[in-house]
Amino acid sequence: MPASLLELKNKIASVKQTGKITEAMRMVSAAKLNQTEKRDKGYTTYNDHVRNTLSRLMSAEVINHLHRENVKVDTDSMGKIDYENVFDLGIISDMIQARKEVKSTGYLVVTGDRGLVGSYNSAVIKNMMGLVEDSRAQHRDIKILAVGSVGAEFFKKNHLNVVYENNAITDVPTFDEVLPIVSTAIKMYLNGVYDELYVCYTHHVNSLSSAFRVEKMLPIVDIDIGIKEAEAHKDLEYDIEPDVNAVLTTLVPQYARSTIYGAILDAKTSEHASSMTAMQSATDNVNDLVSSLTTKLNRARQAEITTEITEIVSGANALK
């Protein structure tokens, strides 16, 4: 067999093998997408209820009645807050009060830990760099909390201040995985590492589209539920049992945890959708390439057969 035909056959076999890999990866991503999508839909309902409840209390100015005069926050010898109970009343009172001056902004950025996910990671990084430029224009220090190795490596390579990174989030994240991230983010805020914190991630719209989203997490002072609804809740009176402090010490931690866990779960859903789409596109390209190479192989075979026939005919004519 001529070298050109052998090369084409080997190339077709290699491309087909690649196609099997991309198709297997597509199926894995589709399975993970199905899991995170179901979990995300269920959790979104819970997240919305927590957010709406807290925003209504804030709109009705119930939180203004939080009793702070008896609050005592334990600190160590360095004057730092003791986080053995990170969600005590004193800490919550700090979480719902805006700083007088914002000198530093924290961004908790959710990216992936691997490639082969289409434009997922690059879109997050591109949008984040836009936010970074805006913060720099306002002369604010920028602190990055990176969830995902792709983002962490990029930000460190570009000399941004990565104060925290977590590369241990699984493809189908559980609530327990997020608790250390929540605790660390709040600790840094209370210790003055940054004066405000935003959660930045990719929102899953559907299997073919996503959108970059930025949500303010700390301080909890401007949760928007709509102007009309906010005005309506200002005139309502709430009976809260056992008291405002007890409710807030339960509700605020739920809000903080749900904000970050919801963002990570949403981002992972978007990542799997992007990966599935990318692998489907790769598989389609493989099929197109195999078809093209097969056509070339058939033409090469036909040319070889034609050449052999011509040689046979020419030899026969020479014998006459």
Side-chain angles (χ1 to χ4, degrees):
M1 183 181 293
S4 59
L5 291 180
L6 184 60
E7 288 174 359
L8 283 171
K9 278 194 169 185
N10 290 338
K11 193 169 186 179
I12 289 173
S14 176
V15 171
K16 284 183 176 179
Q17 188 63 33
T18 301
K20 291 180 181 179
I21 295 173
T22 57
E23 176 60 17
M25 293 176 68
R26 184 199 68 80
M27 294 175 67
V28 170
S29 294
K32 291 178 179 178
L33 173 62
N34 185 50
Q35 294 179 60
T36 56
E37 205 167 30
K38 287 180 179 178
R39 189 172 294 184
D40 189 25
K41 287 180 180 178
Y43 194 78
T44 297
T45 302
Y46 164 79
N47 197 4
D48 289 343
H49 280 302
V50 172
R51 187 182 185 89
N52 288 338
T53 301
L54 186 58
S55 61
R56 286 165 182 161
L57 292 176
M58 296 184 72
S59 297
E61 299 182 353
V62 172
I63 286 181
N64 288 344
H65 301 296
L66 176 65
H67 301 303
R68 300 188 180 92
E69 63 273 14
N70 295 322
V71 171
K72 180 180 179 181
V73 181
D74 294 329
T75 59
D76 58 21
S77 59
M78 300 298 292
K80 299 300 183 180
I81 295 174
D82 179 8
Y83 297 104
E84 185 175 336
N85 183 5
V86 72
F87 288 117
D88 66 16
L89 186 56
I91 288 176
I92 287 175
S93 68
D94 287 337
M95 289 172 62
I96 63 178
Q97 290 179 319
R99 302 278 167 86
K100 292 181 179 180
E101 185 179 4
V102 178
K103 296 181 179 180
S104 178
T105 300
Y107 293 104
L108 194 156
V109 188
V110 185
T111 61
D113 293 313
R114 58 188 174 85
L116 302 177
V117 290
S119 62
Y120 173 78
N121 290 316
S122 60
V124 175
I125 290 172
K126 180 181 178 180
N127 283 285
M128 266 308 305
M129 293 310 292
L131 291 177
V132 167
E133 291 302 319
D134 291 341
S135 293
R136 284 175 174 169
Q138 299 175 40
H139 305 290
R140 293 181 180 177
D141 290 333
I142 301 158
K143 311 291 174 61
I144 303 292
L145 292 82
V147 177
S149 60
V150 173
E153 290 173 6
F154 175 86
F155 296 130
K156 287 189 288 187
K157 185 178 180 181
N158 286 270
H159 309 293
L160 291 174
N161 189 3
V162 179
V163 296
Y164 172 79
E165 62 179 293
N166 187 314
N167 306 327
I169 299 299
T170 59
D171 288 332
V172 185
T174 63
F175 189 77
D176 289 340
E177 292 177 54
V178 178
L179 295 182
I181 301 175
V182 179
S183 179
T184 300
I186 294 174
K187 290 176 185 179
M188 289 184 173
Y189 173 76
L190 296 171
N191 274 336
V193 176
Y194 37 76
D195 300 311
E196 59 182 1
L197 176 64
Y198 292 88
V199 181
C200 310
Y201 64 99
T202 304
H203 169 59
H204 174 67
V205 179
N206 53 51
S207 296
L208 298 176
S209 61
S210 58
F212 182 71
R213 181 174 286 183
V214 180
E215 294 182 356
K216 189 172 185 178
M217 177 182 166
L218 294 170
I220 309 171
V221 293
D222 55 356
I223 305 177
D224 183 22
I225 59 171
I227 297 176
K228 291 183 178 179
E229 189 174 354
E231 289 296 328
H233 281 279
K234 280 185 179 181
D235 298 327
L236 295 179
E237 293 185 2
Y238 288 83
D239 290 328
I240 300 177
E241 295 293 341
D243 54 57
V244 174
N245 295 345
V247 170
L248 290 179
T249 52
T250 300
L251 188 61
V252 172
Q254 286 181 332
Y255 170 77
R257 291 163 182 158
S258 65
T259 297
I260 293 182
Y261 179 62
I264 292 175
L265 191 58
D266 200 358
K268 281 296 181 182
T269 304
S270 181
E271 180 183 352
H272 296 324
S274 183
S275 176
M276 184 185 70
T277 302
M279 291 303 100
Q280 179 62 60
S281 178
T283 302
D284 292 341
N285 289 338
V286 164
N287 293 334
D288 292 342
L289 184 55
V290 168
S291 178
S292 176
L293 290 173
T294 301
T295 300
K296 287 183 179 181
L297 178 63
N298 292 336
R299 287 175 178 174
R301 281 175 174 171
Q302 186 62 46
E304 184 183 29
I305 292 171
T306 301
T307 300
E308 290 177 353
I309 292 175
T310 301
E311 290 175 351
I312 293 172
V313 171
S314 298
N317 290 335
L319 295 174
K320 291 181 180 179

